[in-house]
Amino acid sequence: MDIPNIVKFWLFVVFLVPSILCSIFNLYHFLFNRTLRQSLHNHVVTILLFIGLIYMLTAIIWFTHLYRTGVALVPTHMFCLIWTYLDFVLAITMTLLTAWASVERHILIFHQNLISTPVKRWIFHYLPLIIFTIYPLIFYFIALFVLSCDIPFDYNVERCRAADCVGLNENLRAWDSWGNNVVPIFVIVIFSIALIVRVWYGKCRMGQRFQWRNYRKMTFQLLSISSLYIVLSLPAMLIYTMCAVGVPCNSTAIDFFYNYLYIYYFIIFLTPFVSIVSLPELRAKFQHLMRFRWPQARAVFPTRITTVNTRDLQMVKITNTVQQLDNIHSIAFLQSIRNIFGSKMINPCCLPPPPPPICVPVCCCVQRLCCDPCLGVRCITECREIMVRIQ
């Protein structure tokens, strides 16, 4: 049973925009973060993200338009050839690069002597990336534009049936099926499983000689991307392999195969999200961006409003005035301490303990009213000597 076009359209719409934004976020940090840019294991991921972004902005959008309207975006012969060319080139390039990444992880982890010098690094790292990026461009250019193709195009189906031009030559069709599709998927599966086994063996058997902390990030990054191909592409390749070797294939298996070819496009959608999850640096930046974009809601509690009379308000004002005076005296005291000990003193809490208090005699005069029976009311001045305690 084929998936309806309306379902394909909405699935593409749901995943397309978030995946484009996530790809731009990843590429920004991979290109402008010096640490991420110089790490060898991030180079292939950067190329995959860049190719995936081009894929989503071109062929995927053209597929989405076809699923919505039922006709190609530009119903011309040349547009259909370009559509098919970009679809095949970008998809196969991503598959080949992922297959090479599965092999290269073994070199980066277990055979670092192969990248110890600039010449070795160029041969075993940069040259394969260039080859697997240029090869699909040349192969499908010859298959679609150089070789003759007299197939009538149908502008109401995917790629206008221009993909059949690749299958006109029998040898070209066999190489495209096995060399560009089946073999890279099996390479991804085999070398990913082998990496898990070798890492487990090195961690459990070799002890301290295998530094798992240094290679955990590279292993998890590859396995995250490889798992997409294992889940979303391997079943279709298994069906194709069984049918090619002579196993009877009914209509259900064929429909399942073609539906899985559509599901393959979700590898492009999910690769940017997987790259964020696999790298702690990007995951932390992405979480910070999400918190900045959607701040957490603050709890709001009701405020109790009480009424006070005028007398209470006057007492509050008097209390506030006394506190302000205390603050002024405290500031003056700190300023005097600063003048005594110098301008370099900043924290008065670090001063030596104050001297003990002393008591000094102070003479004061007190006037009071005295009611004498004979002389009447008169004012009497008395001089007293008291001891005053000084801090």
Side-chain angles (χ1 to χ4, degrees):
M1 180 180 178
D2 193 13
I3 302 176
N5 285 345
I6 188 64
V7 177
K8 294 181 179 180
F9 167 75
W10 283 111
L11 288 176
F12 273 17
V13 169
V14 169
F15 285 92
L16 183 59
V17 176
S19 184
I20 291 176
L21 297 178
C22 192
S23 298
I24 296 174
F25 172 83
N26 289 338
L27 287 174
Y28 172 79
H29 289 286
F30 275 122
L31 295 177
F32 293 98
N33 189 318
R34 184 177 181 180
T35 303
L36 296 177
R37 185 177 66 250
Q38 293 181 346
S39 300
L40 296 181
H41 63 276
N42 288 330
H43 292 172
V44 64
V45 180
T46 304
I47 299 175
L48 287 175
L49 292 171
F50 183 73
I51 295 175
L53 181 61
I54 297 175
Y55 204 165
M56 289 183 287
L57 293 177
T58 55
I60 299 295
I61 292 181
W62 299 341
F63 277 114
T64 307
H65 180 272
L66 175 71
Y67 296 147
R68 185 180 67 88
T69 61
V71 65
L73 180 64
V74 182
T76 60
H77 185 86
M78 181 56 65
F79 174 79
C80 293
L81 289 177
I82 295 174
W83 184 6
T84 306
Y85 178 75
L86 288 177
D87 184 27
F88 283 9
V89 166
L90 298 177
I92 298 303
T93 303
M94 293 187 67
T95 304
L96 293 177
L97 288 175
T98 306
W100 165 245
S102 303
V103 178
E104 187 189 31
R105 284 300 188 273
H106 292 264
I107 298 175
L108 296 177
I109 296 177
F110 302 102
H111 305 283
Q112 293 188 359
N113 59 317
L114 296 178
I115 55 173
S116 57
T117 63
V119 176
K120 292 182 179 180
R121 195 178 302 119
W122 173 261
I123 295 174
F124 292 101
H125 176 70
Y126 293 105
L127 187 60
L129 295 179
I130 296 174
I131 292 174
F132 290 122
T133 304
I134 297 178
Y135 157 72
L137 295 171
I138 301 175
F139 178 83
Y140 288 104
F141 181 81
I142 296 174
L144 294 173
F145 295 100
V146 176
L147 300 180
S148 61
C149 181
D150 300 329
I151 296 177
F153 287 176
D154 185 359
Y155 302 117
N156 297 321
V157 297
E158 298 174 350
R159 295 181 293 269
C160 314
R161 291 183 179 171
D164 296 338
C165 295
V166 182
L168 293 179
N169 189 308
E170 184 177 355
N171 296 328
L172 202 65
R173 181 177 68 250
W175 176 256
D176 179 56
S177 300
W178 292 95
N180 296 340
N181 290 276
V182 178
V183 173
I185 297 299
F186 283 105
V187 169
I188 293 172
V189 175
I190 294 172
F191 279 85
S192 297
I193 296 175
L195 182 63
I196 297 174
V197 174
R198 295 186 69 178
V199 168
W200 177 83
Y201 177 81
K203 183 179 179 182
C204 298
R205 301 293 181 180
M206 299 175 63
Q208 297 296 329
R209 288 182 298 171
F210 182 78
Q211 300 178 357
W212 162 245
R213 294 179 179 270
N214 298 336
Y215 309 119
R216 178 176 53 188
K217 186 186 302 183
M218 289 190 290
T219 304
F220 184 62
Q221 184 185 48
L222 170 70
L223 295 179
S224 300
I225 299 176
S226 300
S227 62
L228 296 177
Y229 286 87
I230 295 173
V231 175
L232 301 179
S233 185
L234 180 61
M237 296 300 105
L238 290 175
I239 294 175
Y240 180 84
T241 303
M242 290 187 296
C243 295
V245 297
V247 177
C249 297
N250 52 20
S251 59
T252 303
I254 295 175
D255 292 339
F256 184 80
F257 171 76
Y258 283 108
N259 288 333
Y260 247 94
L261 292 182
Y262 167 77
I263 296 175
Y264 171 85
Y265 294 109
F266 288 90
I267 297 177
I268 291 91
F269 292 145
L270 298 178
T271 299
F273 299 100
V274 168
S275 64
I276 287 181
V277 176
S278 61
L279 287 179
E281 299 90 343
L282 293 183
R283 186 168 62 248
K285 293 179 182 296
F286 186 77
Q287 292 175 354
H288 177 73
L289 180 62
M290 291 297 100
R291 286 196 298 266
F292 178 77
R293 178 62 181 85
W294 291 287
Q296 297 179 356
R298 298 181 179 179
V300 179
F301 298 96
T303 303
R304 179 179 296 178
I305 300 176
T306 58
T307 58
V308 294
N309 53 25
T310 307
R311 183 177 180 182
D312 294 337
L313 291 176
Q314 292 178 355
M315 293 299 297
V316 170
K317 291 181 180 179
I318 294 174
T319 305
N320 293 336
T321 304
V322 173
Q323 291 178 354
Q324 292 176 1
L325 292 176
D326 292 340
N327 294 334
I328 293 174
H329 290 301
S330 300
I331 295 173
F333 173 74
L334 293 176
Q335 186 65 31
S336 62
I337 294 297
R338 185 183 180 91
N339 295 333
I340 293 173
F341 290 93
S343 60
K344 295 182 179 180
M345 181 178 176
I346 298 176
N347 188 4
C349 297
C350 299
L351 294 175
I358 59 176
C359 296
V360 295
V362 177
C363 182
C364 62
C365 297
V366 180
Q367 292 183 352
R368 62 186 183 86
L369 296 177
C370 178
C371 184
D372 190 87
C374 298
L375 300 178
V377 180
R378 58 196 180 96
C379 181
I380 300 177
T381 302
E382 296 180 354
C383 292
R384 299 180 182 180
E385 183 177 340
I386 60 175
M387 301 297 294
V388 178
R389 186 178 177 179
I390 299 177
Q391 295 286 345

